[in-house]
């Protein structure tokens, strides 16, 4: 009996700090100061991609080129004739000038490939994962954009008058295109702003997304 009497008190204790009181005047729907963008201090950047496919392609190409060149060099050292492609390349490099269109095209292609590799090395990637607020010093979490759109869509469908919703969540903004079959469009839009704004806050993202809401009537016919 004593354990049963104490159990309700232990279950209610975590929620007592979030209920409205006379000291702070906040309710459960009030934004948490730690949940704002100013509370992360830029500590939650995007997740870095492993870039496995570009790294594997570059490694295979370099390995094949180095192996072929090494084989040809060893063959020449063993008093065998050089491969046809190497003789052709040496002849072309000796006869073509730097202003030749083929030389300029090859140089431009090398520059483009080099810039592409540098961009891949310096950018994080994983654009589909939104970083979440850190809750511990050594813990990082992310939320897939498709999953975030699904959660927000469910929140929008709870608004009275909403028939269907199409959500799109980007890196900086969430867009909602809703169809309302009754109620005034302005009222539905206002309720969607509140519901989706609260939904964005509860996602726990490191950077608060902007919100755009469009409401229209269903098409006739």
């Amino acid at each position: 009996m004593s354990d049963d009497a104490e159990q309700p008190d232990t279950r209610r204790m975590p929620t007592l700090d979030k209920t409205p009181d006379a000291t702070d005047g906040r309710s459960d729907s009030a934004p948490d100061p730690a949940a704002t963008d100013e509370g992360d201090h830029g500590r939650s950047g995007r997740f870095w991609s492993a870039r496995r496919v570009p790294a594997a392609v570059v490694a295979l190409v370099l390995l094949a080129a180095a192996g072929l060149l090494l084989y040809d060099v060893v063959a020449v050292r063993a008093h065998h004739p050089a491969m046809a492609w190497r003789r052709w390349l040496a002849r072309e490099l000796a006869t073509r000038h730097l202003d030749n269109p083929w030389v300029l095209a090859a140089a431009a292609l090398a520059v483009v490939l080099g810039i592409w590799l540098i961009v891949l090395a310096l950018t994080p990637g994983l654009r589909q994962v939104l970083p979440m607020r850190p809750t511990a010093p050594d813990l990082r979490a992310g939320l897939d954009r498709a999953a975030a759109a699904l959660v927000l869509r469910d929140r929008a469908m709870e608004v009275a008058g909403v028939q269907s919703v199409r959500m799109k969540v980007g890196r900086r903004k969430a867009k909602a295109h809703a169809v309302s079959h009754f109620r005034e469009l302005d009222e539905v839009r206002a309720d969607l702003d509140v519901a989706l704004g609260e939904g964005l806050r509860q996602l726990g993202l490191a950077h608060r997304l902007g919100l755009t809401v469009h409401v229209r009537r269903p098409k006739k016919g």
Side-chain angles (χ1 to χ4, degrees):
M1 294 296 292
S2 59
D3 294 339
D4 296 337
E6 293 177 358
Q7 187 175 1
D9 294 335
T10 59
R11 291 182 177 178
R12 288 197 300 266
M13 285 179 62
T15 62
L16 289 176
D17 295 335
K18 297 183 180 181
T19 55
D21 53 30
T23 57
D24 55 12
R26 293 185 300 171
S27 63
D28 292 343
S29 61
D32 187 359
T36 59
D37 294 341
E38 293 78 12
D40 56 11
H41 300 289
R43 293 175 296 177
S44 298
R46 283 167 52 190
F47 290 86
W48 281 81
S49 174
R51 312 286 192 187
R52 293 184 177 89
V53 174
V57 171
V58 173
L60 290 176
V61 170
L62 292 179
L63 180 62
L68 186 62
L69 181 61
L70 181 61
Y71 173 81
D72 192 51
V73 170
V74 171
V76 172
R77 292 291 183 179
H79 304 290
H80 291 283
M83 300 180 71
W85 68 268
R86 188 179 176 192
R87 296 196 302 268
W88 173 84
L89 181 61
R91 184 172 60 253
E92 291 295 327
L93 292 177
T95 56
R96 291 185 182 272
H97 300 284
L98 295 179
D99 58 350
N100 187 274
W102 287 103
V103 176
L104 295 178
L109 179 61
V111 170
V112 171
L113 291 177
I115 294 176
W116 177 63
L117 294 176
I118 292 175
V119 170
L120 291 180
L122 298 181
T123 54
L126 289 182
R127 302 171 64 91
Q128 295 297 324
V129 179
L130 300 173
M132 302 180 69
R133 291 191 305 271
T135 58
D138 298 328
L139 180 63
R140 293 193 64 196
L143 180 63
D144 189 78
R145 283 161 52 179
L150 183 60
V151 172
L152 294 176
R153 177 187 175 278
D154 292 341
R155 293 293 299 266
M157 290 298 297
E158 296 176 357
V159 176
V162 174
Q163 184 180 23
S164 63
V165 181
R166 181 167 53 90
M167 288 294 310
K168 182 180 180 182
V169 176
R171 290 175 50 200
R172 296 180 178 87
K173 184 176 292 186
K175 297 180 180 180
H177 297 270
V179 176
S180 175
H181 56 300
F182 71 93
R183 296 182 66 197
E184 295 294 333
L185 296 182
D186 293 338
E187 297 178 0
V188 176
R189 186 180 299 108
D191 291 345
L192 284 174
D193 287 335
V194 175
L196 294 178
E198 182 66 15
L200 285 174
R201 188 187 69 84
Q202 293 180 355
L203 288 179
L205 300 178
H207 306 285
R208 184 69 177 269
L209 301 180
L211 178 62
T212 303
V213 178
H214 300 280
V215 184
R216 63 176 178 85
R217 293 296 186 192
K219 296 181 180 180
K220 296 181 179 180

